[in-house]
Amino acid sequence: MKLKFFLSVVLISVVLFGCVDGKSEKTNETSEIVETEKFNYNVEQFADLKILRYQIPGWDKLTLKEQKLVYYLTQAGLSGRDIIWDQNYRHNLTIRKALENIYTNYKGDKTSDNWKAFEVYLKRVWFSNGIHHHYSNDKIKPEFSADYLKELLTQTNTVLEGEPFDVIFNDADSKKVNKKKGIDNIAESAVNFYGPNVTNKDVQNFYKTKVSPDPNKPLSFGLNSQLVKENGVVKERVYKSGGLYGSAIDEIVKWLELAKGVAENEAQANALGVLIEYYKTGDLQTWDDYNVAWTKATEGNIDYINSFIEVYNDPLGYRGSYETIVQINDFDMSQKMKVLSDNAQWFEDNSSIMDEHKKENVVGVTYKVVNVAGEAGDASPSTPIGVNLPNANWIRANVGSKSVSLGNIVHAYNNSGSTGRLKEFVHDEEELQLEEKYGELADKLHTALHEVIGHASGKINPGVGTVNETLKNYRSTLEEGRADLVALYYLYDSKLQELGLVDDWKSVGKAAYDGYIRNGLMMQLIRLNIGDDVEEAHMRNRQWVSAWVYEKGKADNVIEKVTRNGKTYFNITNYEKLHELFGDLLRETQRIKSEGDYAAVEALVEGYGVKVDQAIHAEVLERNKQFTSAPYSGFVNPVLVAEKNDQGEITEIKVTQPNTFAEQMLYYSKNYNFLPEVN
């Protein structure tokens, strides 16, 4: 589960929460770039995107053996980079190769508006790992003509024709992932998890026949395969050595073997060995065995995430996108946050959920702050700020999970901008001061509570199927909202002060509540075009949580809608009552998950999380025009350079920084190009 973006980081933005089975995310609430340190965190900005860079604190404190482990794991991750491009859309690799060839070989006029539009389009495609926007899932529209692209192709002796050329400009495959109600989501989604003519019904019927050897330990059917229909028969093409994506997987395995050879301890080496076996066989029982081994391997300075993990990009929630994150432990911050893990059972016991939905024994929840050393696949350039894995509910219940906050990523966000946009949307000076004084701490605690307590909380009733079977296309947004609600419920609780995590629990809680409502009802709308519905899972969950408590609190004026000088604000008048409402909604979302109540989750999400107040949306976009900072951010990665002696042995590994976004993207395409254009 990824946590993408915070709630409202003080120096940079309103940060948004979310992490379906995985990752948290972040949006910018900045108006201008302000450098706070000698290190320049800002690379460039174009379209709706800002490219940042990050440092690797503590690199020089690692032993050479530890640095080798990081290097090998990073190389393994990058070796699978092309997989996410092909998963995202069947023509992505063909289109990328052609566009890059033009970019590197064109000798014509590079000052024209057409060329500048071409450059921006290519950079947007790089950022999104394909021709569909990384967040909205809409196809990216070029601001140059088909005739101009033909001219560039001719002048650079580049071939791009037929459907891969046409799709750049036409209306085909317009949505990478379409989760709208009442349509055939598979047929209407361009994502390359399914072959032509495969439908929702085909998928559902295919997996109805799959039975796990142990019903109490259900396998993650569909996680590592493409589902296709051949001669009317539906079958899987499994991602494995010798199977789909095999040439890239063989490269991943090569580097994982080297990583295993320099593992810090036996448990870590054992987990790597099982991961290698999984890549070789594609066996889902081996995947579960790996997750159990990986979850238990908690010792050491280095950890990693690697494989087909998050299911956000599958409209039906089966198939995992390729991603990797290599992590170095931040010992000081991890120790401070360990207190939440140690008290996980208290939080479960005192939750607002029904007693029959509470876990009697919350086990193995670990929370660390880590520093990223490298990312690839679905984690790059757009990165999470927190991760909670594994995703299988039975492993989380029986073995535990690992939760991490990506400390240096958060630090880079915090040092790349200012608070101009925040000041525009806060209700009054009191709200601004609360945010400036307590907002960053509130965000850190929200992240920790969301990941450590939220995703670990609750249990599914006996006999109820897995969440992707019961909640289907609403699975992700329900889980993210549920974890958010756990965090929100406890952010306004004196227990945080009792544990020594805060000095003024009420002020921290107020800052957290202000930021969440401000985001859920207004600020996140800067990411949408006027008239759009909310479709992305994290955005949906923030809206349905905020809209539900706003509606239910109207009778008591818990959250008042204020209009001042033609501008709208939302002001919380009763934090205690809002705390109760968050608890009520948490109880209901856990009931929905525990009972697999599809009708209820459909009513909740469609009723509160999809449709946008068009008047407020138009106002938000107009008020936002004054700010130059892009609403989305992502990162280039540091480049690890291995120095070798005459015998070919690594003697030193240096950390360098790319100068530009294009430099890194072209370097990756040249050095980690392990898949054919068509797979």
Side-chain angles (χ1 to χ4, degrees):
M1 300 175 186
K2 295 180 182 178
L3 181 60
K4 269 211 166 208
F5 315 153
F6 273 124
L7 265 172
S8 59
V9 173
V10 169
L11 294 177
I12 168 174
S13 63
V14 166
V15 184
L16 306 177
F17 238 120
C19 95
V20 187
D21 308 343
K23 79 182 167 187
S24 16
E25 61 174 9
K26 181 166 196 151
T27 65
N28 297 339
E29 192 176 69
T30 64
S31 63
E32 58 186 295
I33 291 172
V34 177
E35 285 303 320
T36 58
E37 299 181 8
K38 291 181 180 179
F39 183 80
N40 186 359
Y41 291 92
N42 296 281
V43 178
E44 61 181 299
Q45 181 170 308
F46 51 87
D48 57 353
L49 304 169
K50 184 163 67 170
I51 307 298
L52 308 174
R53 56 170 65 91
Y54 60 90
Q55 297 172 290
I56 309 177
W59 177 258
D60 293 337
K61 296 181 181 179
L62 297 178
T63 66
L64 179 59
K65 182 182 178 183
E66 290 170 332
Q67 290 183 352
K68 286 181 180 180
L69 177 58
V70 172
Y71 176 72
Y72 295 147
L73 289 170
T74 302
Q75 294 299 304
L78 289 169
S79 295
R81 172 185 182 249
D82 279 358
I83 294 175
I84 190 64
W85 282 78
D86 193 73
Q87 287 182 315
N88 281 344
Y89 184 55
R90 65 188 181 278
H91 295 312
N92 273 338
L93 290 173
T94 299
I95 293 170
R96 188 189 78 193
K97 182 177 180 181
L99 297 182
E100 290 178 344
N101 194 61
I102 291 171
Y103 186 80
T104 55
N105 292 292
Y106 180 62
K107 305 300 182 184
D109 183 6
K110 295 186 177 181
T111 63
S112 70
D113 289 342
N114 272 332
W115 177 257
K116 291 177 182 177
F118 172 81
E119 283 188 304
V120 169
Y121 179 74
L122 175 56
K123 289 178 181 179
R124 295 183 72 189
V125 170
W126 276 333
F127 189 93
S128 295
N129 295 315
I131 66 170
H132 296 86
H133 193 280
H134 77 287
Y135 205 86
S136 72
N137 287 308
D138 292 328
K139 192 162 60 173
I140 301 169
K141 296 180 180 179
E143 295 185 4
F144 54 86
S145 68
D147 287 340
Y148 181 69
L149 182 55
K150 289 178 181 178
E151 178 185 331
L152 294 178
L153 291 167
T154 299
Q155 293 190 29
T156 56
N157 295 315
T158 306
V159 177
L160 183 66
E161 55 191 8
E163 190 176 39
F165 179 93
D166 295 338
V167 77
I168 295 174
F169 300 97
N170 64 25
D171 294 328
D173 296 330
S174 61
K175 202 82 173 174
K176 183 177 79 173
V177 184
N178 194 332
K179 297 183 179 181
K180 283 187 176 180
K181 175 185 175 183
I183 65 170
D184 191 304
N185 304 98
I186 299 301
E188 297 297 325
S189 297
V191 68
N192 196 26
F193 288 140
Y194 299 94
N197 304 317
V198 176
T199 65
N200 283 14
K201 187 176 181 180
D202 290 328
V203 178
Q204 292 159 2
N205 288 340
F206 184 82
Y207 289 109
K208 280 181 182 178
T209 67
K210 299 291 184 180
V211 179
S212 298
D214 184 344
N216 295 318
K217 299 179 179 180
L219 299 177
S220 300
F221 291 119
L223 186 70
N224 65 334
S225 67
Q226 182 189 59
L227 201 66
V228 298
K229 187 183 289 186
E230 295 182 0
N231 299 319
V233 178
V234 177
K235 69 175 189 178
E236 290 182 315
R237 300 176 69 204
V238 178
Y239 311 151
K240 64 176 182 175
S241 179
L244 186 55
Y245 304 139
S247 55
I249 288 172
D250 287 343
E251 285 292 321
I252 296 170
V253 168
K254 178 185 77 175
W255 290 104
L256 290 178
E257 292 278 13
L258 291 170
K260 181 183 176 184
V262 292
E264 297 177 272
N265 52 62
E266 184 177 351
Q268 190 180 73
N270 177 59
L272 284 166
V274 183
L275 178 59
I276 291 166
E277 182 66 16
Y278 168 63
Y279 270 128
K280 289 181 176 180
T281 65
D283 181 72
L284 289 172
Q285 181 58 63
T286 305
W287 171 246
D288 280 355
D289 294 342
Y290 161 69
N291 277 284
V292 170
W294 176 81
T295 303
K296 290 180 177 180
T298 57
E299 301 299 322
N301 297 336
I302 314 301
D303 209 347
Y304 62 94
I305 293 160
N306 183 302
S307 198
F308 311 104
I309 300 172
E310 305 298 350
V311 298
Y312 304 104
N313 285 328
D314 183 345
L316 295 188
Y318 284 94
R319 327 200 101 69
S321 296
Y322 175 79
E323 73 168 300
T324 177
I325 303 173
V326 183
Q327 312 157 2
I328 301 171
N329 195 20
D330 183 328
F331 297 101
D332 180 57
M333 286 302 301
S334 294
Q335 187 60 36
K336 291 178 181 178
M337 289 294 149
K338 183 175 179 292
V339 65
L340 286 178
S341 301
D342 291 344
N343 288 274
Q345 191 64 55
W346 183 92
F347 288 104
E348 182 76 348
D349 293 343
N350 289 275
S351 173
S352 66
I353 65 177
M354 301 177 193
D355 288 343
E356 57 265 35
H357 297 155
K358 293 178 180 179
K359 289 180 179 176
E360 296 80 9
N361 182 31
V362 181
V363 298
V365 181
T366 63
Y367 185 84
K368 292 182 179 180
V369 177
V370 300
N371 292 313
V372 172
E375 299 179 314
D378 200 34
S380 181
S382 179
T383 173
I385 57 168
V387 185
N388 181 287
L389 292 171
N391 288 332
N393 283 306
W394 75 264
I395 297 178
R396 300 167 71 83
N398 298 340
V399 183
S401 62
K402 291 180 179 179
S403 292
V404 297
S405 175
L406 310 185
N408 56 338
I409 296 295
V410 173
H411 181 77
Y413 275 126
N414 287 344
N415 285 279
S416 64
S418 69
T419 57
R421 191 178 280 125
L422 170 64
K423 293 177 181 178
E424 171 64 31
F425 287 94
V426 294
H427 170 253
D428 53 25
E429 186 64 25
E430 179 184 359
E431 184 177 331
L432 177 63
Q433 289 180 2
L434 276 171
E435 175 58 37
E436 289 180 335
K437 187 172 182 179
Y438 298 104
E440 186 170 7
L441 176 58
D443 289 338
K444 289 180 179 179
L445 289 173
H446 193 159
T447 304
L449 287 164
H450 177 112
E451 297 291 352
V452 178
I453 308 302
H455 283 304
S457 177
K459 62 183 181 182
I460 296 176
N461 290 357
V464 174
T466 60
V467 288
N468 58 310
E469 294 172 333
T470 58
L471 306 184
K472 302 176 183 176
N473 51 313
Y474 298 111
R475 165 237 175 126
S476 295
T477 191
L478 192 282
E479 176 59 19
E480 289 315 305
R482 191 187 67 86
D484 263 5
L485 285 162
V486 172
L488 290 164
Y489 186 69
Y490 284 116
L491 277 164
Y492 199 74
D493 193 303
S494 60
K495 183 67 173 182
L496 298 184
Q497 193 157 334
E498 178 187 324
L499 293 173
L501 296 173
V502 300
D503 294 326
D504 183 348
W505 66 270
K506 283 193 173 182
S507 293
V508 172
K510 287 179 178 180
Y513 283 13
D514 288 341
Y516 198 90
I517 296 301
R518 188 170 61 243
N519 272 316
L521 296 182
M522 293 191 74
M523 280 302 304
Q524 70 174 3
L525 298 179
I526 67 174
R527 294 181 157 199
L528 300 179
N529 295 318
I530 196 71
D532 286 353
D533 289 341
V534 182
E535 296 187 39
E536 198 279 331
H538 301 88
M539 288 185 70
R540 281 187 170 188
N541 94 245
R542 288 187 288 268
Q543 179 165 297
W544 63 252
V545 168
S546 300
W548 190 95
V549 294
Y550 172 64
E551 179 185 283
K552 300 303 180 183
K554 275 186 176 179
D556 298 317
N557 198 35
V558 176
I559 304 171
E560 63 176 349
K561 183 180 178 181
V562 177
T563 302
R564 185 171 62 247
N565 299 324
K567 296 180 179 180
T568 303
Y569 305 88
F570 288 93
N571 180 46
I572 301 172
T573 65
N574 190 330
Y575 292 93
E576 287 76 16
K577 183 62 178 176
L578 181 56
H579 173 257
E580 293 178 16
L581 289 171
F582 282 138
D584 292 343
L585 185 54
L586 170 59
R587 184 182 304 111
E588 172 62 6
T589 57
Q590 182 60 60
R591 184 200 66 78
I592 290 171
K593 180 179 179 180
S594 295
E595 298 178 3
D597 190 340
Y598 181 81
V601 71
E602 181 183 55
L604 180 63
V605 176
E606 295 292 339
Y608 295 94
V610 176
K611 296 299 178 182
V612 175
D613 185 315
Q614 294 301 309
I616 288 182
H617 190 189
E619 177 194 324
V620 167
L621 293 178
E622 183 63 31
R623 290 166 68 179
N624 187 60
K625 285 181 180 178
Q626 64 187 294
F627 305 113
T628 59
S629 182
Y632 303 99
S633 292
F635 289 83
V636 290
N637 293 296
V639 178
L640 303 181
V641 180
E643 302 287 343
K644 298 181 180 180
N645 60 21
D646 293 339
Q647 288 73 45
E649 300 168 335
I650 295 176
T651 57
E652 181 182 8
I653 299 175
K654 296 180 179 179
V655 178
T656 64
Q657 293 286 346
N659 293 311
T660 67
F661 184 48
E663 174 188 301
Q664 178 147 98
M665 294 298 99
L666 292 172
Y667 175 82
Y668 284 167
S669 292
K670 178 182 178 181
N671 293 283
Y672 304 100
N673 179 23
F674 298 116
L675 290 182
E677 292 178 21
V678 179
N679 293 277

